Amino acid sequence: MVRYAAALVALATAPFLASSAPSECYKWKNVKIGGGGGFVDGIVFNPTASGIAYARTDIGGAYRLNADDTWTPLLDWVDSTNWNYMGVDAIATDPIDTNRVAMAVGLYTNEWDPNMGSILRSTDRGATWSATKLPFKIGGNMPGRGMGERLAIDPNINNIIYFGARSGNGLWKSTDYGATWAKVSSFTSVGTFVPNPSDSNSYNRDIVGIAWVTFDSTSGARGSTTPRIFVGVADKSNSIWVSTNGGSSWSLVSGQPSQNYLPHKGVLSPSENTLYITYSDGAGPYDGTLGAVWKYNIASGTWTDITPVTGSDLYYGFGGFAVDLKKPGTIMVAALNAWWPEGIIFRSTNSGSSWTKSWDWTSYPDRSKRYTMDSSLAPWLADPADDPPESIGWMMEALVIDPFNSDHWLYGTGATIYGGRDLTKWDTGSTITIKSLADGIEETAILDLLSPPSQHVKLVSSVGDVCGFIHDNLDTPRTSVSQFHNPKFATTFSLAYAGSKPLNYVRVGGDAGNIALSTNGGVSWSSHPQSSSTAGSNGVVAYSANADTIVWSTTNIGVIRSVNSGSFSTISSLPANAYVIADRCDNTVFYAASGNKFYVSRDTGATFTQTATLGGGTNYKIVSNPGTAGDVWASTDGGLFRSTNYGTSFTQISGPTWCAHFDLGAPKTSGGYWSIAAMATIDGKKALYRSDNAGTSWVQINDATMGFGTAESNRIAVDYSQYGRVFIGGGNGRGIFYGTPGTGCSGSGTTTSTTRTSAPTTTTRQSSDLHGFEPHNDHFQSNHNYTQSHHDHHHTDHFIANNS
């Protein structure tokens, strides 16, 4: 996560060239955290075919709903060549050819993402995809990503698709199912709203642009262009536009409210001939302190304010909106950000004339609720230490009712997908059950992984926004007991264990001073005695073999050291932001790298001396042999290097010409060398490789269906006790995978297709839904403090992880 620059190479022994690495069949599955773990910003049901629905996320790709309420991931084939596809800014399901689905993909519109955005399209419900590159960027992880949908298919002639762009790029149209695109020159409103024009962070300085496109399906006939199209624009003065001639000309909808708000959703109720619009004073998903809900009668041109609350009860904007197509006049709306005491959902059966609320105050602080929560599929969501222990949610921009089943509903939050199958009980005064229904969605960003030498722990993870977990079972959802507590950070950035006392852990994260210790393999934790007295923040932490010394390379105050839980002191002999680890066997030895320089300490981290110069320009990771003192490995963008003399000199390992994160784990044979897994480039191919003979030869262990997104962001651990099992997870937002060699592999995949609007060339990429894969995921703290940590993680840390 910390970037390290390096320069020229100086090595003890020159590398020799390796032949092309063969492939080995691996079966990949998600480690089950359970239930999402990140922001689900869009859910869409197909309006004409029962059972077809899709969910989109800001950094974790997209998913298709299965009949058993599980979800299938659709973008696991994404690799380093197209990593920005994991940010999905809009999704559309075809109402005529219901096998068709399209997505607008791209992560950032600022300099963090150098890639232009793309439209992905599929004719088999996401099993395979073709891509069209656009001449501008798309911001699936930018402000306003819960607005939408920005992508819309004409319900009467499905070769026509509209897309509303960000950054002042306006409205775009395709007439060939999304293969090529042209700007709609007659639509001149590009949006004026910028979240924070004076912010030093460019993330908040871009134009949010067009928020949604909604066709009035009742205005046309099958086989002809739909005449009436509404477009909502992130503009607080002139936001709702309409065309009555199929997009040839546009005008502002007359009489629209002028309340200085932004339109988040524009949802049509065909039987009522009404357009419902939710407004908030911010782009979301974190902000929004005021808002409104309006309905527009298309036939009469009448606007009606149907905002559910007023006065002091209105302290939030509105996001998700749902129409029950089987029950005209039955609608629902979600408070976008009612942070306290928790989120709010409203329901009306008379088109908004009156509303009932998911909960009501009785005698403060008590509330009566129209629901009970069921997080059995993601039990960590129910944390007794939180208040409330199981929140209805926040950041609620996605809210839908199944068009074929009035009892079936879903909504997205900052943590998961909730919903249920007894919704109409709400109207009779009965209690409904709200369940976590994100089984199959693993959307966490992984910042560190350890496979320690412990009988009861298979894996330890540090996770963006949801702290981290002890994984004693890889296929069982985590509970709140499995999560790091006391203290519980919003985000854990780095983990380490003591090599000779492997039940002793240290972790750092969250805000300044957050450092915690465990002496029982993560079963319980305590704050470091000096945690509150240090201003150190995030970074990388190392633990000496005997668990008596911590060296912490912070992101803000340099490299610091604590002995026997005493006060921290600065290590002046190391540059700031150096990468640090401890020798697993020799308690006196620590290693570090900064730039192209490698450092060693022989006095338990008190002082460091430069000993060698590594090849390449970026240092990624250092790993110490778990069983032999002085045997240390380092990876850079120039390859993989090994020292057997405490880092005095290094030999470049054959094969990798570039290497990011890697690890050592259980050997193939008793007494053999530790197995190595590395994200590396070998023979010109960037992939995940394993070596069983100290890097003499390598096999590739992923295939075209498992791309793992950005190679640089992936964290890797090799199982300490089970040969061949490899763990991989990263800032790509798809949680943690574990792979094992043998039968049941994920498959061979097919080719990819990329089409540029100016020069078509085509490819098709197969989705990862062919590999056997089990679900579940994690969540974050339900308080306002979480808001900022989630915000920071999703736009800053994720980018750094991708580019570390």
Side-chain angles (χ1 to χ4, degrees):
M1 299 181 348
V2 181
R3 302 192 66 176
Y4 304 99
L8 299 176
V9 63
L11 301 170
T13 307
F16 62 86
L17 296 177
S19 59
S20 179
S23 294
E24 182 174 332
C25 181
Y26 254 63
K27 180 180 180 179
W28 291 96
K29 298 171 65 177
N30 263 122
V31 173
K32 277 196 176 185
I33 295 173
F39 182 34
V40 179
D41 44 5
I43 305 171
V44 296
F45 273 98
N46 190 288
T48 59
S50 178
I52 299 177
Y54 300 90
R56 62 181 174 92
T57 71
D58 50 6
I59 66 170
Y63 297 80
R64 184 184 63 240
L65 183 64
N66 302 314
D68 61 356
D69 284 340
T70 64
W71 297 84
T72 294
L74 301 179
L75 294 178
D76 281 350
W77 49 269
V78 170
D79 58 25
S80 285
T81 65
N82 45 33
W83 57 269
N84 70 324
Y85 286 7
M86 295 303 288
V88 183
D89 206 21
I91 194 164
T93 173
D94 193 319
I96 297 175
D97 180 354
T98 58
N99 288 321
R100 288 183 179 270
V101 60
M103 295 189 293
V105 295
L107 273 165
Y108 302 101
T109 59
N110 63 352
E111 72 278 6
W112 296 347
D113 184 352
N115 306 293
M116 296 295 107
S118 295
I119 301 293
L120 302 185
R121 57 197 190 279
S122 173
T123 58
D124 50 18
R125 301 188 188 182
T128 59
W129 296 91
S130 297
T132 294
K133 191 75 71 176
L134 297 173
F136 51 82
K137 294 182 179 182
I138 289 175
N141 199 28
M142 294 293 289
R145 56 192 178 274
M147 293 174 163
E149 293 295 314
R150 293 176 168 88
L151 193 65
I153 299 171
D154 192 316
N156 289 307
I157 182 166
N158 61 334
N159 61 298
I160 295 176
I161 309 178
Y162 279 85
F163 175 61
R166 295 171 174 270
S167 311
N169 288 302
L171 184 66
W172 289 69
K173 179 181 179 181
S174 172
T175 58
D176 54 9
Y177 303 96
T180 59
W181 292 80
K183 190 172 184 178
V184 180
S185 58
S186 59
F187 191 89
T188 57
S189 177
V190 298
T192 60
F193 182 77
V194 176
N196 188 349
S198 61
D199 198 331
S200 60
N201 191 334
S202 61
Y203 178 80
N204 289 311
R205 296 200 308 265
D206 195 22
I207 296 173
V208 172
I210 293 176
W212 46 264
V213 179
T214 301
F215 285 91
D216 177 6
S217 57
T218 67
S219 67
R222 183 62 59 91
S224 300
T225 300
T226 299
R228 187 177 292 113
I229 312 165
F230 294 96
V231 175
V233 180
D235 185 322
K236 289 189 174 183
S237 299
N238 301 300
S239 61
I240 313 300
W241 296 76
V242 65
S243 173
T244 57
N245 51 21
S248 295
S249 61
W250 301 82
S251 62
L252 282 167
V253 178
S254 62
Q256 63 183 280
S258 55
Q259 294 179 302
N260 207 34
Y261 297 151
L262 303 172
H264 276 237
K265 302 288 179 180
V267 182
L268 179 74
S269 177
S271 60
E272 298 180 277
N273 202 22
T274 295
L275 182 71
Y276 289 95
I277 301 169
T278 63
Y279 292 90
S280 177
D281 61 355
Y286 315 105
D287 56 0
T289 57
L290 286 174
V293 184
W294 286 75
K295 65 179 181 180
Y296 173 67
N297 185 293
I298 297 171
S300 66
T302 303
W303 288 86
T304 305
D305 186 351
I306 57 170
T307 307
V309 293
T310 59
S312 61
D313 290 331
L314 183 59
Y315 52 93
Y316 42 78
F318 294 90
F321 192 94
V323 167
D324 188 339
L325 295 181
K326 296 181 70 66
K327 292 179 176 293
T330 295
I331 56 177
M332 299 179 75
V333 66
L336 174 56
N337 276 318
W339 296 103
W340 181 89
E342 62 175 313
I344 309 170
I345 298 174
F346 301 88
R347 182 172 169 90
S348 172
T349 57
N350 53 18
S351 305
S353 295
S354 63
W355 298 86
T356 52
K357 190 177 174 183
S358 54
W359 57 262
D360 291 289
W361 292 112
T362 52
S363 176
Y364 179 84
D366 297 324
R367 290 175 289 143
S368 64
K369 299 182 178 182
R370 287 184 169 84
Y371 61 90
T372 59
M373 299 297 293
D374 176 3
S375 291
S376 56
L377 295 177
W380 65 270
L381 286 168
D383 190 340
D386 289 343
D387 183 20
E390 195 170 10
S391 171
I392 197 173
W394 54 90
M395 295 162 57
M396 294 186 289
E397 290 270 40
L399 174 62
V400 289
I401 300 172
D402 188 333
F404 294 88
N405 182 351
S406 297
D407 274 317
H408 183 208
W409 67 304
L410 298 168
Y411 67 96
T413 75
T416 189
I417 292 176
Y418 280 117
R421 289 188 173 270
D422 61 357
L423 179 59
T424 58
K425 286 183 177 180
W426 185 314
D427 304 325
T428 63
S430 299
T431 299
I432 66 170
T433 298
I434 297 178
K435 299 183 66 175
S436 172
L437 292 176
D439 193 2
I441 296 179
E442 293 285 339
E443 201 207 337
T444 49
I446 308 303
L447 303 181
D448 208 355
L449 293 174
L450 293 177
S451 178
S454 168
Q455 294 301 312
H456 77 286
V457 174
K458 294 179 174 62
L459 182 70
V460 187
S461 62
S462 64
V463 183
D465 297 346
V466 291
C467 200
F469 293 88
I470 298 296
H471 304 266
D472 54 356
N473 188 310
L474 303 177
D475 302 312
T476 300
R478 299 296 80 209
T479 67
S480 63
V481 175
S482 308
Q483 197 175 38
F484 301 161
H485 282 78
N486 300 319
K488 182 177 179 180
F489 310 152
T491 292
T492 297
F493 285 89
S494 181
L495 297 160
Y497 70 86
S500 299
K501 294 184 176 181
L503 295 181
N504 291 68
Y505 298 168
V506 61
R507 58 183 170 94
V508 297
D511 300 320
N514 280 334
I515 178 168
L517 304 171
S518 175
T519 59
N520 54 14
V523 174
S524 62
W525 296 84
S526 60
S527 290
H528 187 286
Q530 303 300 317
S531 179
S532 61
S533 62
T534 177
S537 180
N538 306 334
V540 178
V541 69
Y543 214 3
S544 66
N546 292 345
D548 55 24
T549 303
I550 294 169
V551 174
W552 180 10
S553 181
T554 71
T555 56
N556 61 332
I557 60 170
V559 187
I560 58 178
R561 173 178 180 259
S562 171
V563 180
N564 295 322
S565 295
S567 299
F568 282 93
S569 59
T570 300
I571 302 174
S572 58
S573 52
L574 272 184
N577 294 320
Y579 190 98
V580 294
I581 71 159
D583 192 283
R584 295 283 192 210
C585 302
D586 189 332
N587 192 63
T588 66
V589 176
F590 281 81
Y591 305 105
S594 179
N596 65 338
K597 298 177 175 63
F598 193 87
Y599 298 82
V600 177
S601 170
R602 299 269 190 161
D603 54 8
T604 324
T607 60
F608 282 78
T609 303
Q610 184 190 345
T611 57
T613 303
L614 297 173
T618 300
N619 300 109
Y620 288 108
K621 191 176 182 182
I622 310 169
V623 175
S624 172
N625 185 323
T628 304
D631 186 1
V632 61
W633 298 66
S635 62
T636 77
D637 60 355
L640 181 63
F641 306 90
R642 180 189 183 190
S643 171
T644 57
N645 56 12
Y646 289 91
T648 300
S649 60
F650 282 82
T651 299
Q652 184 166 0
I653 299 300
S654 62
T657 56
W658 173 94
C659 186
H661 287 259
F662 71 103
D663 195 27
L664 307 182
K668 184 174 185 179
T669 59
S670 178
Y673 196 80
W674 296 91
S675 179
I676 306 167
M679 185 62 74
T681 298
I682 295 178
D683 199 39
K685 186 175 185 179
K686 187 175 288 187
L688 182 62
Y689 295 92
R690 195 195 73 235
S691 174
D692 299 331
N693 51 19
T696 300
S697 62
W698 297 85
V699 293
Q700 182 182 339
I701 59 174
N702 70 314
D703 58 30
T705 67
M706 293 301 298
F708 299 122
T710 312
E712 293 90 335
S713 78
N714 284 301
R715 274 47 179 162
I716 292 172
V718 180
D719 196 300
Y720 188 93
S721 57
Q722 179 176 320
Y723 164 72
R725 186 155 65 187
V726 175
F727 304 97
I728 181 169
N732 302 302
R734 272 291 288 121
I736 309 166
F737 291 96
Y738 74 97
T740 52
T743 59
C745 303
S746 50
S748 59
T750 58
T751 48
T752 302
S753 150
T754 300
T755 303
R756 292 187 181 272
T757 54
S758 56
T761 55
T762 303
T763 29
T764 304
R765 175 71 89 173
Q766 185 164 333
S767 170
S768 63
D769 61 351
L770 299 181
H771 73 279
F773 157 160
E774 297 191 13
H776 285 84
N777 214 269
D778 335 17
H779 155 97
F780 356 58
Q781 298 177 11
S782 55
N783 55 43
H784 203 345
N785 291 336
Y786 155 75
T787 314
Q788 186 60 45
S789 68
H790 183 66
H791 174 71
D792 292 343
H793 154 62
H794 268 67
H795 75 260
T796 304
D797 301 329
H798 177 55
F799 166 75
I800 294 174
N802 276 342
N803 296 273
S804 60

